[in-house]
Amino acid sequence: MLILGIETSCDETSAAVVSDERKIMSNVLLAQLDPHIQCGGVVPEVAARSHLDSLDSVIRRALAEADVTLNDIDAVAATGGPGLIGGVIVGVTTAKAIALASNIPFIAVNHLAGHALTVRLTDDVAFPYLLLLVSGGHCQLMIVASPLDYRILGETMDDAVGEAFDKIAKLIGLDYPGGPHVEKLAQQGDPSRFPFPRPFFDKKDPEFSCAFSFSGLKTAVRRTLEKLGNLTDKDRADCAASFQYTVGEILKNRVLNGLRKCRDMNVPLTGFVVAGGVAANQYLRQSLEKIVMSQNLKFMAPPLDLCTDNAAMIAWGGIEKMRLRQVDSLSFVPRPRWPLVELGRAPS
Ligand code: KG4
Ligand code: ZN
């Protein structure tokens, strides 16, 4: 079975062909960086227009690179949300048109499920696993028990991790998207120079043991930079390193608490997975790997190019839904918000 996947929920226009035998036959990605760098962040209207301009040719390239035509495709999957709604509408409408014209099923894939299930495409991981999903819009710790069953142990009360990286980058004077730039700069900095706050560490209430908050950390970085005044290159690098180090300490602590919860609940975890754009950060990957291995658990993370948004993960999400006979009707309505916990409920 071959699935065409389409991803247009943020600023990457992507199309991919993936087989149910876990083979990525193509994964074409067009990052719309230039207009968004100029604005210091993604402008939804600009992103939607850009998806509209390029999606057709990106799909053509994905089919050509896979050496197939639409006649060989068994179903078409598109991100149905959550995301910037203009872009999601472009992807969903295109996928529906292809499904109608080719008389094949249309599948609306939850973008977060796409990130969450990528390790099953790359590593054939069995359920259940503990997942830390860290992207530009989300930060959640959850047990993934099936493609439709996500049990959230904790999530952010304010900013997402990627959002925090992007905001800190802006404060330090780095381009969008900030994550990779902060990571690079942090390599030259002193992570112990600025002791930034770690929210909820002193709270004994189990309700907060897996909760995240990054807005206080962001404010602390901003205040530190304001106090320093004219920043030297060393100030910038130390700030990036101290921020990244603190994020690492927060994530490790929350993951350890999550693993403890899973043990208390007798969840037979097959491993721990970190996914989403921020999972491309090597420092954070290595910190998490150490802590997870110290608990005698398998650590898994998608390869770097499958951590950030791409259509292969959406095609795979479509395959997982097809296997459960969960195809969608052409009246599916694109969703700006679509929490994972709603996936097990009545299909659209
Ligand atoms: O998953 P993703 O591609 O898009 C969303 O679904 O949000 O994640 C994008 C986020 C951005 O905030 C970006 O700055 C962050 O992931 N990111 C990183 C790194 N690469 C991307 N954050 C930290 N370090 C990185 N190397
Ligand atoms: Zn994403």
Side-chain angles (χ1 to χ4, degrees), residues 291-306:
I291 204 87
V292 168
M293 300 224 341
S294 77
Q295 303 295 301
N296 296 320
L297 200 66
K298 198 167 165 203
F299 172 88
M300 289 160 289
L304 298 193
D305 58 331
L306 295 181

Side-chain angles (χ1 to χ4, degrees), residues 147-215:
L148 301 175
D149 185 354
Y150 302 83
R151 297 173 208 166
I152 309 291
L153 300 181
E155 58 193 330
T156 184
M157 305 206 158
D158 38 59
D159 292 349
V161 197
E163 192 180 356
F165 265 93
D166 294 338
K167 286 178 177 168
I168 298 308
K170 217 171 187 177
L171 291 174
I172 304 180
L174 301 170
D175 277 343
Y176 174 85
H181 295 296
V182 172
E183 179 178 16
K184 195 155 172 242
L185 188 60
Q187 284 165 3
Q188 302 150 31
D190 172 5
S192 64
R193 176 159 166 208
F194 303 112
F196 291 133
R198 302 164 190 190
F200 307 136
F201 269 44
D202 49 356
K203 273 209 158 84
K204 294 284 171 268
D205 187 340
E207 203 190 314
F208 291 97
S209 69
C210 295
F212 302 85
S213 165
F214 294 99
S215 71

Side-chain angles (χ1 to χ4, degrees), residues 260-335:
R260 198 168 304 127
K261 268 194 184 178
C262 289
R263 270 197 301 272
D264 291 347
M265 293 188 291
N266 287 323
V267 182
L269 293 178
T270 58
F272 167 84
V273 174
V274 61
V278 181
N281 184 297
Q282 295 284 10
Y283 170 79
L284 296 177
R285 276 167 98 101
Q286 280 160 17
S287 311
L288 289 167
E289 181 168 13
K290 258 191 228 148
I291 204 87
V292 168
M293 300 224 341
S294 77
Q295 303 295 301
N296 296 320
L297 200 66
K298 198 167 165 203
F299 172 88
M300 289 160 289
L304 298 193
D305 58 331
L306 295 181
C307 284
T308 42
D309 291 350
N310 67 90
M313 72 179 194
I314 300 305
W316 179 255
I319 289 169
E320 296 265 21
K321 276 186 80 169
M322 283 282 278
R323 285 175 172 171
L324 299 172
R325 302 189 196 292
Q326 290 254 327
V327 299
D328 291 273
S329 87
L330 293 185
S331 55
F332 172 85
V333 179
R335 301 187 57 168

Side-chain angles (χ1 to χ4, degrees), residues 16 23-24 28 47 66 87 104 197 259 322:
K23 184 157 190 268
I24 300 175
V28 176
I104 53 177
L259 290 175
M322 283 282 278

Side-chain angles (χ1 to χ4, degrees), residues 220-241:
V221 175
R222 183 167 49 74
R223 291 224 178 98
T224 301
L225 291 170
E226 280 166 5
K227 256 194 222 149
L228 287 167
N230 285 335
L231 299 179
T232 63
D233 287 349
K234 179 164 170 24
D235 291 336
R236 284 198 184 85
D238 289 350
C239 215

Side-chain angles (χ1 to χ4, degrees), residues 74 97-105:
D74 297 291
I98 293 172
L100 192 63
S102 303
N103 197 23
I104 53 177

